[in-house]
Amino acid sequence: MIADLLTPFHYDYLLKAIWVSALVGGACGFLSAFVTLKGWSLMGDALSHAVVPGVAVSYILGLPFVLGAFVAALLASGAMVLVRARSRIREDATIGIVFTSFFALGLVLISRFPSKVDLKMILFGNILGISGSDVIQVAAISALTLLVLGLKWRDLMLVSFDPAQARTLGLPAAWLQWLLLALLSATAVAALQAVGACLVVAMLVTPGATAYLLTDRFGRLIWLSTAMGAFTSWLGAYLSYHFNGATGGCIVVLQTLLFLVAFTFAPKHGWLAARRRVKQDWTPPLDT
Amino acid sequence: MRDALWVGMMVAATCAMLSCFLVLRGWSLMGDAVSHAVLPGIVVAYGVGLPLAVGAFVAGLFCSIATGFIQRNSRVKKDTVMGVVFTGMFALGLVMFSRMESDLHLDHILLGNILGISRSQALQTLILGAVLLVVTWVKRRDLLLVSFDRGQAKVLALPERLLDYLLLSLLSLAIVVSLQAVGLILVVAMLVTPGSVGLLWTDRFDRMLLIAVGSAVASTASGILISYHLDASTGGCIVLVQALVFCASLAFAPKYGWLGRHMNRRKGKENPV
Amino acid sequence: MTEAPFDLAVEGVSVAYANGHLALRDASFHLSGGTICALVGVNGSGKSTLFKSIMGFVKPVSGHVTINGAAVKVALKRNVVAYVPQAEEVDWDFPVSVADVAMMGRYGRMNFLRIPSATDKTKVEEALRRVSMWDFRDRQIGELSGGQKKRVFLARALAQEGRVILLDEPFTGVDVKTEQAIIDLLRELRAEGCIILVSTHNLGSVPEFCDQVVLINRTVLGYGPTSEVFTEDNLSKAFGGALRHFHFEHSTVQDHDGRAIRVLTDDERPLVFGKDGHLEYKDREGREDILRQREEET
């Protein structure tokens, strides 16, 4: 039994994959603090689907997948901005249309070149089985994202919270917005390898949402969500060895469980706490 | 092949009609969420031996109810809650699937397999789709009022909660129906694009419905034909054709397209009021 | 239109937010038609919460609202409650026309399929004509001016034949002419016996057209006829420090100016108090006593 549980640790490549997914989880967790703050869930979902044609083209042409994915993500964001600015279609519908179109394009490409691209890998991720060079790309992106976020998180927070104030302080607000979007695309690409296109959005939303229920301080929120992202990804990747390789599924189920626990029991913003408060709390009117 | 065409067109019409409501309500993410959330329902239904549609329907409805409950009782934004819930359910579906011995094809659920549809499945889809179409058309005025002005619906003592659930149920069923055609990842395109096309062409709701349905049916039929000749993913082709129709509308729609706006501006300059 | 006068009673109503905090505690007041009653309070004082509980949108944790002795739910079924939303709450890009919106007032009286009958159509036409919007019936609602938009929603309340009409900030984004037209219409409705409840932070217009006032700040601080309740003392209680005071010294009000004060403002009408009450009355009917008093003083 114990030997069974320890099996993954005996294989070097598995061990490496587990740590890499923890790194990806940490980067996504860090970013999820911003995604939650800005209400960008749909954006995260959209970008993770929109990179698919880029990944497909890269594999077909034999380029590093990061390159294609990044170009696709930029094109998609550009298309969204363009359609949004020049039509009466709501933002959410615009995002929906653009990302499904991109994803559809990716599907058509893949179905035309089935031997070059592994569709399963794109849909569900396969961190335990990806090639060495891909692992390096994923690790590099995540490390870079973490580094940039670690250095610039205060600026990014200010821009997310109050762009006007950021501008008056002389910060390049527009650039920082794009930086955030670029980081989002980058992590979406990395997470694509770990959990697959369908579940990337969970990595970019759930840790931040969970932390948001637990604290009111942004600094602490970042710590919590990064730690939760890294831990769940580590544990999920390890567990998935026993679950037939459904790495993404395991990681995201763990994250959702944490969220539900926080939702129910969080000391201040939890459901139980609110129910207790109904009876007690009352601020007297001003005239007394 | 002919079955596939009929089924595709029926699915397109059903989704297109619902898409008008989703687009107007800003429920695109809801469409996305419910479509992913049906996965655990399908897996469980398969395991227990129930019709897959039943499982999918229950799971889809559960997703929207859970989202509503968590949102009402916490400070997390609605879109975030939805993201958490639907990915959680989808992940659960994947994990359950990985532990199950089955000849269920995950690809077919996710990406659709309309060309391989069986006679009986086609018949089921056609009947269910027709029912959905009729119900949506008949209750369109109530659904519109709830989307437009909830307050008024409440003040008139219309069962607005019930109407919400009606729309959600229709949505879940439409997703179930379209799984076969485009798969659950691309359903959201069927549920967003046609309504947006309609909104670009007209200011009247009934006309918007008809335009949405017309454009969706036409692009689905041509998408299926194209995919057959190119030997490419059917769902992908359908959605791409729809996207092209949307782009064309964006450019050429008389009042809200770029060209139309440009002309209006020119006209405004020539004879300023 | 002579029906028995309507009666609205709010008794001991407390409402809680989702996070458990109370938005409104133990609010009580009574109104009977016809009346135009202003609901006055700062932002966050519970104005909209009170509105919502009268419309049955939120369920009080204690207390109850009754309309003609019946619970709100029953009253809503009879379609007697109508409301005019704030402009910001409406999505003006919606593909509906002016006539469509007015027709929405009739939905409660239609059959299951909501196919309008001849009566429905005449009622809608009457209502639109009454607010002079019939000529715009085929316009998409986003193509109207602020005042026209307001009138369309007012027409919906008319078409519905509501007897308790709730208006949320009816004068924001509305030009002075439309404001007067709306006030005239409200007076007609009052004469017909309706209860009209207006939520507003536009204090200056209150004494002009409201005969009753409910002051709230997370509970009902007071209610009754405007002349008794809408006083400087009560207002400072209701608003605390949130009101801006302009104090005119004796030197400002000189005899050689004819003892006249001119106050110019842009949007909101200021409320001006004199020695024994409001100085500024456009609606001077029923205020002869104050006028006479002022005459005598000069």
Side-chain angles (χ1 to χ4, degrees):
Chain A
M1 176 73 187
I2 301 279
D4 236 24
L5 288 177
L6 290 178
T7 325
F9 297 112
H10 296 310
Y11 295 99
D12 227 20
Y13 77 96
L14 279 180
L15 207 56
K16 202 165 65 187
I18 289 173
W19 283 109
V20 168
S21 61
L23 189 64
V24 174
C28 288
F30 203 135
L31 207 59
S32 76
F34 292 96
V35 174
T36 321
L37 187 71
K38 294 208 67 149
W40 270 8
S41 314
L42 188 54
M43 198 65 177
D45 196 27
L47 284 177
S48 59
H49 285 78
V51 297
V52 170
V55 175
V57 169
S58 307
Y59 276 124
I60 290 167
L61 298 178
L63 296 167
F65 76 86
V66 173
L67 196 70
F70 206 67
V71 172
L74 285 183
L75 282 178
S77 341
M80 286 173 208
V81 171
L82 204 70
V83 175
R84 177 69 208 115
R86 304 224 177 163
S87 77
R88 67 193 310 223
I89 306 295
R90 278 169 181 254
E91 187 174 14
D92 65 314
T94 305
I95 296 178
I97 292 171
V98 171
F99 93 74
T100 51
S101 312
F102 270 68
F103 189 77
L105 182 66
L107 269 189
V108 170
L109 283 172
I110 294 169
S111 64
R112 296 285 291 148
F113 302 92
S115 57
K116 297 254 177 79
V117 200
D118 184 5
L119 183 60
K120 276 232 159 66
M121 192 281 285
I122 287 181
L123 289 179
F124 310 117
N126 184 13
I127 196 93
L128 299 188
I130 59 175
S131 71
S133 73
D134 286 359
V135 168
I136 292 169
Q137 290 182 47
V138 169
I141 300 174
S142 311
L144 190 69
T145 308
L146 274 175
L147 186 73
V148 174
L149 281 172
L151 292 174
K152 300 300 276 182
W153 69 268
R154 280 169 211 279
D155 289 9
L156 289 169
M157 176 183 75
L158 186 58
V159 167
S160 310
F161 177 65
D162 186 353
Q165 164 72 3
R167 221 163 288 138
T168 54
L169 289 180
L171 291 177
W175 277 108
L176 286 169
Q177 295 267 18
W178 278 103
L179 176 67
L180 202 57
L181 215 55
L183 290 175
L184 196 62
S185 319
T187 40
V189 177
L192 187 71
Q193 298 280 351
V195 297
C198 299
L199 288 176
V200 168
V201 58
M203 306 271 284
L204 288 172
V205 168
T206 312
T210 313
Y212 186 56
L213 289 172
L214 294 173
T215 175
D216 284 330
R217 292 287 178 68
F218 195 69
R220 227 172 281 162
L221 192 143
I222 287 180
W223 274 118
L224 273 172
S225 60
T226 311
M228 275 189 289
F231 171 70
T232 48
S233 304
W234 188 91
L235 189 63
Y238 160 70
L239 284 178
S240 72
Y241 174 79
H242 300 282
F243 277 89
N244 215 0
T247 316
C250 289
I251 293 175
V252 175
V253 166
L254 284 175
Q255 291 188 340
T256 312
L257 285 177
L258 275 187
F259 175 82
L260 289 177
V261 171
F263 165 71
T264 316
F265 300 108
K268 190 168 158 203
H269 301 294
W271 179 52
L272 292 178
R275 300 209 91 185
R276 272 199 302 276
R277 216 157 23 216
V278 173
K279 302 262 144 68
Q280 306 166 357
D281 190 83
W282 159 243
T283 332
L286 284 173
D287 63 332
T288 51
Chain B
M1 181 67 196
R2 199 176 297 158
D3 282 358
L5 266 179
W6 281 116
V7 167
M9 280 154 69
M10 177 55 87
V11 166
T14 315
C15 288
M17 204 173 262
L18 284 170
S19 81
C20 293
F21 296 100
L22 297 198
V23 166
L24 290 176
R25 284 192 99 153
W27 267 19
S28 310
L29 186 57
M30 190 59 128
D32 196 29
V34 174
S35 60
H36 283 79
V38 298
L39 186 63
I42 292 177
V43 176
V44 169
Y46 183 82
V48 184
L50 280 169
L52 301 189
V54 174
F57 177 67
V58 173
L61 219 54
F62 175 81
C63 170
S64 40
I65 293 170
T67 305
F69 176 77
I70 293 181
Q71 193 217 342
R72 269 197 302 282
N73 290 293
S74 80
R75 62 180 193 149
V76 184
K77 286 185 193 136
K78 185 171 186 198
D79 67 313
T80 310
V81 174
M82 225 180 268
V84 172
V85 172
F86 92 76
T87 50
M89 289 180 72
F90 188 79
L92 187 67
L94 282 185
V95 172
M96 288 195 301
F97 185 82
S98 73
R99 297 295 280 179
M100 222 165 66
E101 298 289 321
S102 77
D103 52 355
L104 207 59
H105 284 280
L106 203 50
D107 301 18
H108 290 174
I109 298 175
L110 295 181
L111 304 171
N113 178 28
I114 199 169
L115 296 179
I117 197 166
S118 73
R119 239 304 135 73
S120 69
Q121 273 175 321
L123 215 61
Q124 265 179 32
T125 309
L126 284 177
I127 292 170
L128 194 54
V131 172
L132 287 178
L133 265 184
V134 171
V135 173
T136 317
W137 179 256
V138 163
K139 294 307 279 179
R140 71 186 185 284
R141 293 199 175 96
D142 285 16
L143 291 172
L144 181 71
L145 177 59
V146 175
S147 317
F148 177 61
D149 188 348
R150 289 191 78 71
Q152 178 68 7
K154 277 183 178 164
V155 159
L156 290 176
L158 296 187
E160 36 89 33
R161 272 280 171 82
L162 215 65
L163 285 169
D164 270 356
Y165 285 121
L166 175 69
L167 189 58
L168 282 172
S169 312
L170 290 171
L171 181 64
S172 307
L173 283 175
I175 287 165
V176 172
V177 169
S178 9
L179 284 184
Q180 186 82 38
V182 289
L184 61 77
I185 298 180
L186 286 175
V187 169
V188 60
M190 310 279 283
L191 286 170
V192 173
T193 315
S196 304
V197 171
L199 193 58
L200 285 173
W201 284 90
T202 178
D203 273 333
R204 288 290 172 287
F205 187 67
D206 282 3
R207 252 175 257 163
M208 177 179 169
L209 281 178
L210 296 178
I211 292 172
V213 170
S215 78
V217 168
S219 31
T220 304
S222 37
I224 292 176
L225 290 174
I226 291 171
S227 84
Y228 179 76
H229 288 294
L230 281 183
D231 189 24
S233 150
T234 317
C237 286
I238 294 175
V239 173
L240 274 186
V241 175
Q242 282 193 350
L244 285 180
V245 172
F246 176 76
C247 288
S249 310
L250 209 54
F252 301 116
K255 193 164 158 195
Y256 296 106
W258 292 345
L259 212 65
R261 281 189 184 188
H262 192 68
M263 303 265 276
N264 284 345
R265 221 173 294 143
R266 285 259 300 271
K267 233 187 274 167
K269 265 183 201 153
E270 275 161 24
N271 36 356
V273 187
Chain C
M1 272 223 217
T2 40
E3 288 172 37
F6 257 72
D7 176 82
L8 168 72
V10 174
E11 276 167 64
V13 168
S14 301
V15 183
Y17 292 120
N19 66 9
H21 292 284
L22 280 176
L24 198 65
R25 193 178 80 153
D26 202 16
S28 304
F29 65 90
H30 296 258
L31 294 173
S32 51
T35 179
I36 302 177
C37 174
L39 203 59
V40 175
V42 285
N43 283 336
S45 59
K47 263 187 303 182
S48 57
T49 308
L50 187 58
F51 251 50
K52 282 180 189 158
S53 46
I54 295 173
M55 293 190 273
F57 291 14
V58 292
K59 237 179 135 180
V61 285
S62 65
H64 50 266
V65 179
T66 53
I67 295 171
N68 266 8
V72 172
K73 249 189 173 167
V74 180
L76 294 181
K77 286 244 164 69
R78 294 183 193 142
N79 284 316
V80 294
V81 181
Y83 106 117
V84 178
Q86 277 190 59
E88 302 92 79
E89 288 169 16
V90 178
D91 177 359
W92 298 105
D93 274 340
F94 233 75
V96 286
S97 67
V98 167
D100 289 339
V101 171
M103 191 57 88
M104 285 173 185
R106 305 291 304 173
Y107 275 21
R109 298 170 198 271
M110 290 181 193
N111 61 4
F112 178 75
L113 296 179
R114 316 282 174 218
I115 295 170
S117 67
T119 331
D120 294 325
K121 284 178 184 157
T122 26
K123 290 283 179 198
V124 165
E125 181 174 346
E126 269 172 28
L128 283 174
R129 283 193 191 285
R130 208 163 158 190
V131 298
S132 10
M133 286 301 291
W134 177 245
D135 294 337
F136 297 90
R137 61 188 176 277
D138 284 327
R139 285 273 189 97
Q140 195 261 336
I141 50 167
E143 296 167 353
L144 305 172
S145 73
Q148 290 171 329
K149 285 173 179 168
K150 228 13 159 230
R151 269 143 65 194
V152 173
F153 280 86
L154 212 57
R156 182 174 77 180
L158 293 178
Q160 189 189 327
E161 302 178 296
R163 310 294 291 162
V164 176
I165 302 175
L166 304 157
L167 295 99
D168 205 347
E169 298 292 354
F171 301 127
T172 35
V174 166
D175 54 294
V176 181
K177 239 172 91 188
T178 311
E179 183 173 326
Q180 197 49 52
I182 293 177
I183 290 177
D184 290 342
L185 184 64
L186 294 183
R187 288 202 179 114
E188 285 172 29
L189 290 170
R190 171 172 65 190
E192 287 165 18
C194 293
I195 296 178
I196 297 152
L197 204 54
V198 182
S199 144
T200 183
H201 60 263
N202 191 347
L203 294 182
S205 61
V206 169
E208 197 183 308
F209 74 101
C210 298
D211 47 83
Q212 296 195 69
V213 173
V214 176
L215 285 177
I216 63 172
N217 193 344
R218 308 197 71 192
T219 183
V220 171
L221 299 178
Y223 72 96
T226 309
S227 53
E228 288 165 29
V229 177
F230 204 63
T231 60
E232 219 173 334
D233 267 4
N234 281 344
L235 281 172
S236 2
K237 259 189 223 162
F239 283 82
L243 273 187
R244 198 188 298 271
H245 286 259
F246 291 101
H247 189 70
F248 296 99
E249 293 292 331
H250 182 68
S251 56
T252 325
V253 195
Q254 299 279 345
D255 277 344
H256 60 74
D257 289 333
R259 298 174 66 91
I261 297 175
R262 279 187 298 270
V263 180
L264 304 178
T265 64
D266 48 351
D267 178 7
E268 296 189 18
R269 195 172 302 156
L271 179 65
V272 183
F273 281 104
K275 191 170 155 233
D276 296 303
H278 312 295
L279 276 182
E280 180 66 28
Y281 279 111
K282 268 201 203 166
D283 182 19
R284 290 176 189 240
E285 285 165 55
R287 305 287 173 205
E288 287 83 2
D289 48 331
I290 299 181
L291 289 177
R292 207 174 310 123
Q293 210 177 332
R294 294 239 164 85
E295 294 278 303
E296 281 162 15
E297 276 173 24
T298 47

